[in-house]
Amino acid sequence: MRTNIENGLSNSPERGGAAPAPELALELYRSMALIRAFETNVSALYRDSEIPGFVHTSLGQEAVAAGVCRALEPDDYMATTHRGHGHCLAKGMDVDAMMAELFARAEGICRGKGGSMHVADPSRGVLGANAIVGASMPLAVGAGLSSRLLRQGRVTVAFFGEGAVNQGAFHESLNLAAIWELPVLFVCENNIYAEFSDSRRMTRVPRVVERVAAYGVDAALVDGNDVEAVHAETLAACARCREGGGPLLLEAETYRWQGHYEGDAQPYKPDDEAEAWRARDPLRVQGERLVERGVASAGEIEEIETEARARVDAAVERARSLPAPEYEEAFQHVFGD
């Protein structure tokens, strides 16, 4: 791993790196298609008042979730953000249980208590989404310390946005992970906007990879819309973490298609900016690549997307039919013995 500041590109297949095996390349596409279908559906369901609470989607950022999580082992830890549906799905969380959770149903993964911003699944190493900006990082440091002390060999990934880099938790977490040489991968999804603010105007050093040098942490900058590049960088980072190389940071440059929250009209974005980024849709980039390599036909790519939409539609119909939690559930799993 290395800080690649000059051109901001990782060793993606299109720049001389080895292409992944065909099945892996297809699997990465399937993961992104599922995330896209899930969040497109959730966006509409929230708009129609079928989902309670608040919803934040990561449409346009699917390559980061799919690329990172496919490089993890099943028992590796992962801590995410308020924009974490894609991360959870890519880590293997059950689609039905996750959709039921967003509907606040009793069969939800958290029995209807967590909802979109607090969904968790310890059985898959998912430490949870979090409504507090930057909170994934200290959680990851704790999990990383646990893994090291218990000699488990488990890597922990902390997802966060570039806006969280200005929180004290970022600096404290990086410093502790560095001095304790913890197996933690800090993944910054730089989608340009921190809620409603252009993050390029928030600091004199806009690239996160340049800021972590102060803590002696190596970093890499990667095209966050290239799922294969993200996956390759994450594999290398995880291998180093497992070998005792300490923490690393991966900054993935991507773009948030929709507003900070569902219903945000995004008046703070230039009119032509979204169109330019949509031209580099992560699914389009990978889909065209698969066709060019002869891994899949255009019809097979469309079939993957159709299957993903059908899978999510089925989860929605199931969630609609499920009962809400009983009153007593509000008092369960609140206090420890």
Side-chain angles (χ1 to χ4, degrees):
M1 293 290 288
R2 72 284 180 219
T3 301
N4 184 354
I5 296 173
E6 292 184 1
N7 59 24
L9 292 170
S10 70
N11 188 31
S12 68
E14 293 170 344
R15 290 190 172 261
E23 185 50 44
L24 172 57
L26 278 169
E27 185 179 334
L28 291 170
Y29 190 86
R30 290 191 190 98
S31 180
M32 291 194 295
L34 180 63
I35 296 168
R36 175 69 57 83
F38 188 94
E39 294 214 295
T40 300
N41 220 322
V42 165
S43 176
L45 291 165
Y46 180 80
R47 179 198 63 207
D48 296 340
S49 301
E50 287 200 67
I51 289 179
F54 230 38
V55 167
H56 306 76
T57 63
S58 62
L59 291 165
Q61 302 178 204
E62 295 87 355
V64 184
V68 169
C69 291
R70 179 58 180 81
L72 302 179
E73 296 295 330
D75 65 344
D76 283 340
Y77 293 115
M78 185 269 284
T80 182
T81 71
H82 56 280
R83 204 178 304 282
H85 304 147
H87 307 143
C88 293
L89 290 170
K91 191 64 169 67
M93 192 178 291
D94 181 69
V95 178
D96 288 332
M98 190 169 172
M99 186 63 77
E101 183 63 30
L102 267 63
F103 270 80
R105 301 307 196 210
E107 292 187 27
I109 194 71
C110 299
R111 299 194 59 78
K113 293 180 179 179
S116 174
M117 287 194 286
H118 299 94
V119 64
D121 186 0
S123 70
R124 290 175 173 79
V126 180
L127 300 176
N130 209 302
I132 300 174
V133 174
S136 62
M137 291 177 277
L139 283 175
V141 169
L145 178 60
S146 170
S147 176
R148 181 180 176 186
L149 293 177
L150 297 175
R151 300 181 181 179
Q152 296 174 322
R154 299 165 81 171
V155 171
T156 302
V157 168
F159 286 104
F160 57 97
E162 78 282 3
V165 176
N166 295 319
Q167 295 282 345
F170 171 81
H171 303 279
E172 295 164 355
S173 298
L174 261 289
N175 189 56
L176 278 177
I179 61 176
W180 291 341
E181 298 182 335
L182 301 181
V184 178
L185 176 60
F186 295 90
V187 179
C188 177
E189 292 184 274
N190 190 334
N191 62 18
I192 301 178
Y193 291 94
E195 294 194 355
F196 318 106
S197 302
D198 187 331
S199 58
R200 294 167 293 191
R201 302 176 182 176
M202 294 170 62
T203 173
R204 291 282 294 273
V205 185
R207 279 182 170 165
V208 180
V209 290
E210 298 179 59
R211 301 177 70 174
V212 300
Y215 301 105
V217 174
D218 286 343
L221 191 63
V222 66
D223 180 351
N225 282 22
D226 183 339
V227 68
E228 292 185 9
V230 173
H231 179 259
E233 288 287 0
T234 306
L235 275 178
C238 288
R240 178 169 160 178
C241 283
R242 295 185 209 284
E243 293 167 1
L248 300 107
L249 182 139
L250 181 63
E251 180 179 1
E253 294 186 320
T254 184
Y255 191 76
R256 190 189 76 205
W257 284 7
Q258 294 184 250
H260 168 57
Y261 59 88
E262 288 306 303
D264 174 10
Q266 309 183 80
Y268 46 86
K269 289 185 178 181
D271 293 338
D272 59 346
E273 186 178 75
E275 183 178 351
W277 276 94
R278 282 177 180 267
R280 294 210 69 252
D281 177 348
L283 273 78
R284 178 179 176 182
V285 170
Q286 184 66 0
E288 291 178 350
R289 177 184 286 159
L290 293 174
V291 173
E292 289 171 2
R293 289 182 189 158
V295 174
S297 66
E300 289 170 328
I301 294 297
E302 185 175 349
E303 184 177 347
I304 290 173
E305 295 176 1
T306 300
E307 290 174 353
R309 289 192 293 269
R311 177 70 185 88
V312 174
D313 287 343
V316 171
E317 290 306 312
R318 179 178 181 277
R320 284 172 172 155
S321 67
L322 293 174
E326 297 292 336
Y327 173 78
E328 291 74 19
E329 181 65 36
F331 304 97
Q332 300 297 316
H333 309 108
V334 178
F335 300 102
D337 295 329

